Amino acid sequence: MLNLFVHPKRIFLVLFVCFLAFSIWIYAIPLFSPTPYSKKELHLVAEGRLVWQKNNCHTCHQLYGLGGYLGPDLTNLYSRTANNEAYIKGIIKSGVKQMPAFEISDDEMNGLLHFLKNVDATGTSNPQDYQPEIIGTFSLEKK
């Protein structure tokens, strides 16, 4: 009788169904979670992400410690600049040292600022607190 329940195909099927149910549950959580942002703000954040990608900002700058190393990590840009949007706009429009001046429209700038504000609100990152590994990643143990 025990052999009927311990059959490898049944074990696989039970584990697969459990994995599938868990995966659907994990990915469905954000769909049903309340968000503090309106549809318009979410659209602006998405548009800003596209501006970030279109201008290849990730090649020089990091978000959450991931990205290029030429420019600073911009995860908490808003917090570091005391929410000074005029300062951020000035840097983007005029450029500094190695960063070129970007000619982007007011709508693109607005979207990019919303994207950076959203990134600032979602987490912190200070890669200097962590030990870099020889393979290009960071150890989660602090220095």
Side-chain angles (χ1 to χ4, degrees):
M1 183 88 177
L2 183 62
N3 288 339
L4 292 175
F5 295 108
V6 186
H7 195 275
K9 288 182 182 178
R10 288 192 180 144
I11 292 172
F12 174 78
L13 183 62
V14 168
L15 290 175
F16 179 75
V17 168
C18 290
F19 170 77
L20 192 62
F22 180 73
S23 296
I24 290 170
W25 177 64
I26 288 294
Y27 286 106
I29 287 173
L31 297 175
F32 301 107
S33 298
T35 177
Y37 303 104
S38 68
K39 294 263 187 205
K40 182 179 178 184
E41 289 172 321
L42 289 175
H43 179 72
L44 283 171
V45 169
E47 290 294 319
R49 189 194 77 228
L50 292 176
V51 172
W52 172 270
Q53 291 172 338
K54 181 179 92 174
N55 290 292
N56 293 319
C57 300
H58 64 278
T59 58
C60 296
H61 296 283
Q62 299 174 17
L63 292 179
Y64 308 110
L66 301 171
Y69 294 100
L70 185 60
D73 186 303
L74 299 181
T75 304
N76 300 114
L77 177 66
Y78 264 81
S79 299
R80 288 195 317 259
T81 60
N83 297 334
N84 189 348
E85 288 187 5
Y87 174 77
I88 298 169
K89 285 180 185 180
I91 295 291
I92 294 170
K93 294 252 183 192
S94 65
V96 292
K97 294 184 183 177
Q98 297 96 344
M99 181 176 154
F102 287 93
E103 294 182 21
I104 61 177
S105 70
D106 290 340
D107 289 340
E108 288 177 322
M109 180 66 77
N110 192 25
L112 184 58
L113 291 174
H114 272 81
F115 171 70
L116 292 171
K117 188 184 289 188
N118 180 266
V119 168
D120 187 274
T122 59
T124 60
S125 173
N126 188 0
Q128 293 148 348
D129 288 345
Y130 298 97
Q131 181 67 39
E133 300 291 332
I134 194 143
I135 58 174
T137 60
F138 285 94
S139 168
L140 295 180
E141 296 180 21
K142 293 195 176 196
K143 291 181 181 179

